[in-house]
Amino acid sequence: MTPRILFLDHVGVLGGAELSLLDVARHFADVSRVALFEDGPFRHRLEEAGVGVDVLAAPESVKKVSREGGKGGDLKSLPGVAALAWRVARRARGYDVLYANSQKSFVVGSVAARLARKPMIWHLRDLLTDDHFSASHRRLAVTLGNRLATRVIANSEATAHAFVESGGRADRVRVVYNGIDPAPFEAVTPEETAAARREIGLGDAPAVGVFSRLSPWKGQHVLLDALTRMPGLHAVLVGGALFGDEERYAASLHEKVVAYGLSDRVHFLGFRRDVPRLLHAVDVVAHTSVAPEPFGRVVVEGMLAGRPVVATRAGGVLEIVEDGVTGRLVPPGDAAALAETLGALLAAPARTAALARAGREAARRRFSRDAMLEGVARQICGVAGFQAVT
Ligand code: UDP
Ligand code: GLC
């Protein structure tokens, strides 16, 4: 019998972690529910997919805790964490396993799992490195992980490695790669592609696309710098400001476009639901993260859409792209290298098409949704018989 799972996530917006959970939760929808600590579009997407959702709104003090924050904010949030954990623990009674999909939901969930005496899975989708987290938050996450997670699922070897390097117990971790259904990326017709190009206003110009939330570490500014070296190339920026102070970064990108005189060539599309169609509308997909990417769904999606992908050489991306074989890699934050590689890809269409074909095959083979679901199911079944770690 499939164990009953209570999934936890602290956000209501649609980041990669949430889109990935959408596929997992849909698969287990008959026996599971998702508890979110804030309302938002993620709830609608889950409900559309037939997944039951409860919103257990987090107190303000818990919402305020940020990745980079220190002990002061953490201490202030303690009563809120405890109150939320009690509510989660009460919900947990009807389930066999708790499954946290984000850091904050893991902190709350690990306390709840202990109270409810349930096993706890932590799906770790972040790199516990100082690029992404304050030292005190890494320590807290690892301490709780070692004591209260029955199993840690990491979305890449890079993520697993960073957990262990931070003091995490290697025997707790299993790597399950994100998997993505290729169908929507393959179903886009030439007519739909042409219509998307018209809508964006690309004409016949070559175009590069970035498909990421607008966030300083996602590095869209590097693409704008590269663009100044590439007359005639258009850039399509798909994604919105989702978390924390990403709005400020989004505003700075707009200012940069004006300052560089790039307004005619840069297209900000905001957060979109039609990513497959937009991937087809561009000639090259760029991944520009300046800090190591834990995994990078967009890299796989670009490959599945049959687009040549240029990505930054760090983190989980190294497990996805083989440079010169299934895509191209450039050093993070290097606008000159990015411009040069984009130029080389556009200048050699036949070679670039072969690279994109190889990328698509590799992505289909190595990052299938079925393999991800099987991997997650194995971990869930493996812990379902356990009691919470005491
Ligand atoms: N995405 C989307 N709409 C957008 C921009 C991005 O649906 O406007 C999706 C994208 O297709 C991918 C996810 O958001 O599936 C981003 O995941 P990724 O792992 O690349 O990055 P994260 O945001 O999780 O760090
Ligand atoms: C996180 C990471 C991203 C990863 C996604 C899904 O949001 O930033 O790299 O692809 O989770 O696991």
Side-chain angles (χ1 to χ4, degrees):
M1 228 178 64
T2 318
R4 296 160 302 172
I5 311 145
L6 181 60
F7 293 102
L8 308 172
D9 199 314
H10 74 284
V11 299
V13 291
L14 289 157
E18 288 66 42
L19 289 166
S20 195
L21 179 61
L22 182 61
D23 279 337
V24 174
R26 182 195 281 125
H27 183 71
F28 295 104
D30 291 352
V31 285
S32 307
R33 271 182 100 74
V34 176
L36 300 180
F37 298 168
E38 112 191 338
D39 204 353
F42 185 28
R43 173 170 69 82
H44 301 291
R45 286 288 281 273
L46 285 161
E47 286 173 348
E48 254 173 49
V51 181
V53 184
D54 297 304
V55 177
L56 308 178
E60 269 316 305
S61 62
V62 178
K63 279 196 182 163
K64 277 199 193 130
V65 175
S66 70
R67 292 174 163 219
E68 309 78 20
K71 290 190 183 123
D74 294 353
L75 284 176
K76 275 193 210 132
S77 75
L78 278 181
V81 168
L84 192 53
W86 271 110
R87 294 173 68 198
V88 173
R90 269 202 302 277
R91 290 291 149 117
R93 279 193 202 127
Y95 296 87
D96 303 303
V97 181
L98 264 71
Y99 184 117
N101 194 56
S102 63
Q103 307 276 51
K104 224 181 246 189
S105 67
F106 170 61
V107 173
V108 173
S110 61
V111 179
R114 178 81 173 244
L115 291 168
R117 305 190 64 76
K118 302 284 178 184
M120 172 89 218
I121 292 184
W122 178 19
H123 201 140
L124 175 57
R125 299 177 178 279
D126 294 303
L127 279 170
L128 295 179
T129 59
D130 53 14
D131 295 300
H132 294 279
F133 293 95
S134 65
S136 64
H137 279 180
R138 281 164 63 191
R139 248 190 328 271
L140 175 69
V142 165
T143 306
L144 290 177
N146 285 345
R147 295 200 178 172
L148 299 176
T150 322
R151 176 69 74 224
V152 178
I153 299 178
N155 62 359
S156 66
E157 295 288 348
T159 297
H161 182 73
F163 175 72
V164 174
E165 283 287 293
S166 302
R169 283 178 52 172
D171 61 331
R172 290 278 160 88
V173 192
R174 301 288 183 276
V175 173
V176 178
Y177 282 131
N178 286 304
I180 292 167
D181 178 12
F185 299 91
E186 291 175 354
V188 180
T189 63
E191 294 72 32
E192 286 167 331
T193 304
R197 286 187 60 92
R198 262 197 312 278
E199 264 169 47
I200 303 169
L202 292 175
D204 293 329
V208 51
V210 177
F211 297 76
S212 290
R213 55 199 157 87
L214 305 178
S215 181
W217 75 271
K218 292 291 188 181
Q220 283 90 348
H221 58 281
V222 182
L223 181 65
L224 298 184
D225 289 340
L227 223 59
T228 61
R229 299 164 180 261
M230 305 213 59
L233 180 65
H234 283 235
V236 181
L237 271 58
V238 181
L242 295 187
F243 304 116
D245 62 358
E246 290 178 354
E247 288 290 353
R248 198 143 29 109
Y249 179 67
S252 78
L253 289 175
H254 283 277
E255 282 161 20
K256 207 165 178 143
V257 166
V258 174
Y260 286 0
L262 292 172
S263 305
D264 297 344
R265 295 200 275 138
V266 177
H267 310 264
F268 287 96
L269 304 193
F271 183 86
R272 300 280 295 241
R273 274 190 78 158
D274 54 349
V275 165
R277 180 172 163 268
L278 298 170
L279 281 166
H280 279 261
V282 298
D283 302 282
V284 182
V285 171
H287 163 270
T288 54
S289 295
V290 293
E293 183 75 46
F295 178 82
R297 284 169 55 95
V298 290
V299 175
V300 174
E301 291 171 352
M303 291 160 84
L304 288 174
R307 290 288 157 254
V309 175
V310 49
T312 52
R313 186 181 284 125
V317 170
L318 300 179
E319 296 159 58
I320 304 174
V321 173
E322 192 181 343
D323 191 20
V325 180
T326 55
R328 292 300 313 273
L329 295 175
V330 292
D334 188 339
L338 178 59
E340 198 185 311
T341 305
L342 288 171
L345 288 169
L346 293 167
R351 201 158 3 119
T352 300
L355 190 80
R357 265 197 308 277
R360 173 187 281 183
E361 286 318 305
R364 288 187 63 118
R365 202 176 56 246
R366 301 188 48 232
F367 302 104
S368 84
R369 185 173 58 175
D370 288 349
M372 169 183 74
L373 295 173
E374 241 177 76
V376 168
R378 192 171 321 124
Q379 298 313 321
I380 290 172
C381 292
V383 304
F386 285 43
Q387 280 300 301
V389 187
T390 48

